[in-house]
Amino acid sequence: MRGSLVWLLTLWASLFIAPTAHAHKPSDSYLSIEVGDKAVSGQWDIALRDLDFAIGLDADGDGNITWGETRAKHDEIAAYALARLALQSNGAACKVEVPQQLVDRHTDGAYTVLQLQVSCPQSPTQLNQLTLGYKLFADIDPQHRGLLKLSAGGRTRTAVFSPDKPQQSFAVKEPASWFTQFIDYGREGVWHIWIGFDHILFLLALLLPSVLVWHKPRWQAASGFAPSFWEVAKIVTAFTLAHSITLSLATLGWVSLPSRLVESAIAASVVLAALNNVWPVFQGRRWLVAFCFGLIHGFGFASVLADLGLPQDALLLALVGFNLGVECGQLAIVAVFLPLAYNLRQHWVYQRLIFIGGSLLIAALAAVWLLERAFNLELVPF
């Protein structure tokens, strides 16, 4: 039991002292490269908030990045970005320039849009292999991802760049490997749930009581593992079904909700799920809570795929791979948490410190996120 206690306390503490506990959508940039018959061109969307952290855009320090402040940094933005992007055609270096910069809005805020002009030694018709090296923010944010959409020969393929996968090569004239793309988006789904601390805390708030039974006026340890297991199975199944529905609807463009509303509702769901542990209202129906709020969390998951702007022929592949990755990441969390929690369910440390204290801490943290998201504030530095 002592070993289980140490493991669970370590896991629990890591959720609250992680230095980059993302309450908002993780850092991504969106890179599109098009190999045409006469030229190679592209577009690179980079979040202004990430650039502000890297090179400083908010000149007056008022917390708002204006168009004037962004325009004054155009040359520095282009130099910073291009120093971290390398293209090669058939093994020879290509020259990349930024003739124009714009500003656009994604689901999570404003982005600078770099229009890319690519000059390669070979003509586009002679280009057989394209190699990209991507190191944007690699030195300051190990969680950053670059999402690539490569169009060539009437086909579109996708890829995900990260600090541990900074260079990838593509056979331009060969069909894209659907399996490789599927694995890339599956891996991205796992990563998204693991660094989406609001999603993790919502799930844990629902799982915490699974090894306990409510006998008014207090919680008591469950009599056996089977009831706890089936309670968890119902919660995870309901959450999975719900977020899969809205993830699919949002990614396919059939339903769209404002980002601030979605992010605020996700924070509210965490608050309510955690407080329900302290003042039980939905006992025996936590699967229903998981389903209802899981619908909202699905819109949050969809933001990554929606912002990428995938063409129709790549949507299904990305959607299925990403969703399965989310489920694998979720099941990994459950597989670690449930046995530890069950072994400690009778210990005061679990019943008082982890269950009650942890639920209150989750509710407090999520309440801060709710205020930030609803009123566009910055109260905590994560």
Side-chain angles (χ1 to χ4, degrees):
M1 179 176 289
R2 180 172 296 179
S4 296
L5 179 60
V6 172
W7 274 102
L8 191 56
L9 288 175
T10 301
L11 172 66
W12 199 240
S14 68
L15 292 172
F16 296 102
I17 63 175
T20 53
H22 286 279
H24 305 278
K25 191 169 83 64
S27 171
D28 300 310
S29 81
Y30 304 92
L31 177 62
S32 299
I33 301 292
E34 182 173 357
V35 180
D37 294 333
K38 298 182 179 180
V40 179
S41 59
Q43 177 176 308
W44 197 0
D45 293 21
I46 306 173
L48 292 182
R49 65 175 185 276
D50 293 334
L51 286 168
D52 182 44
F53 182 75
I55 62 176
L57 301 182
D58 186 10
D60 56 12
D62 64 352
N64 294 314
I65 303 173
T66 66
W67 166 243
E69 290 172 331
T70 304
R71 184 172 53 188
K73 291 278 191 173
H74 272 182
D75 290 343
E76 189 173 349
I77 291 172
Y80 180 84
L82 293 183
R84 289 155 178 81
L85 178 68
L87 273 73
Q88 293 182 340
S89 66
N90 300 346
C94 300
K95 182 180 180 181
V96 184
E97 298 177 302
V98 180
Q100 185 179 17
Q101 292 188 47
L102 306 170
V103 171
D104 194 10
R105 292 200 67 83
H106 288 242
T107 59
D108 60 327
Y111 280 63
T112 188
V113 179
L114 308 182
Q115 301 290 339
L116 304 180
Q117 180 177 303
V118 183
S119 302
C120 297
Q122 304 85 9
S123 67
T125 56
Q126 296 174 319
L127 201 161
N128 296 316
Q129 186 178 64
L130 187 66
T131 301
L132 281 81
Y134 182 101
K135 297 188 296 183
L136 185 67
F137 304 131
D139 55 336
I140 59 175
D141 185 1
Q143 297 179 342
H144 176 78
R145 295 293 183 268
L147 306 183
L148 170 70
K149 180 174 70 174
L150 174 63
S151 301
R155 296 183 296 271
T156 300
R157 67 197 71 189
T158 59
V160 181
F161 289 90
S162 62
D164 59 350
K165 196 176 182 181
Q167 182 170 302
Q168 299 183 50
S169 296
F170 306 90
V172 174
K173 296 183 179 180
E174 294 180 5
S177 169
W178 67 267
F179 181 75
T180 299
Q181 295 183 77
F182 181 82
I183 294 299
D184 281 343
Y185 275 94
R187 187 185 298 112
E188 190 65 15
V190 172
W191 183 253
H192 188 79
I193 189 70
W194 282 356
I195 64 172
F197 276 69
D198 44 6
H199 302 299
I200 290 179
L201 292 183
F202 174 74
L203 182 61
L204 288 179
L206 293 174
L207 294 178
L208 279 169
S210 63
V211 296
L212 303 173
V213 178
W214 174 252
H215 290 297
K216 198 171 183 179
R218 65 188 182 88
W219 291 95
Q220 297 180 15
S223 59
F225 184 76
S228 298
F229 175 84
W230 289 115
E231 176 70 9
V232 169
K234 289 191 294 184
I235 290 171
V236 171
T237 300
F239 185 59
T240 297
L241 179 61
H243 75 63
S244 297
I245 291 172
T246 46
L247 171 60
S248 301
L249 293 176
T251 302
L252 295 173
W254 295 347
V255 179
S256 178
L257 294 179
S259 176
R260 181 178 292 184
L261 174 62
V262 170
E263 296 297 328
S264 299
I266 289 174
S269 74
V270 180
V271 174
L272 294 175
L275 291 181
N276 186 62
N277 295 339
V278 183
W279 296 283
V281 175
F282 294 100
Q283 287 317 302
R285 296 177 300 219
R286 284 195 301 276
W287 67 269
L288 183 58
V289 175
F291 182 84
C292 293
F293 285 122
L295 294 172
I296 298 297
H297 283 248
F299 286 107
F301 291 139
S303 61
V304 173
L305 299 181
D307 282 339
L308 185 55
L310 294 169
Q312 291 298 316
D313 60 351
L315 270 179
L316 182 60
L317 185 68
L319 175 61
V320 174
F322 185 84
N323 198 38
L324 286 178
V326 169
E327 307 322 319
C328 291
Q330 178 178 283
L331 290 175
I333 294 170
V334 172
V336 172
F337 177 82
L338 182 57
L340 295 175
Y342 180 77
N343 287 332
L344 294 172
R345 71 194 188 284
Q346 296 178 326
H347 201 288
W348 70 267
V349 171
Y350 185 84
Q351 295 189 12
R352 299 290 181 85
L353 180 61
I354 295 176
F355 178 60
I356 298 299
S359 295
L360 290 173
L361 188 57
I362 289 174
L365 181 58
V368 174
W369 292 341
L370 177 57
L371 290 174
E372 287 187 325
R373 298 174 185 188
F375 300 104
N376 198 27
L377 303 173
E378 185 173 347
L379 302 177
V380 293
F382 51 83

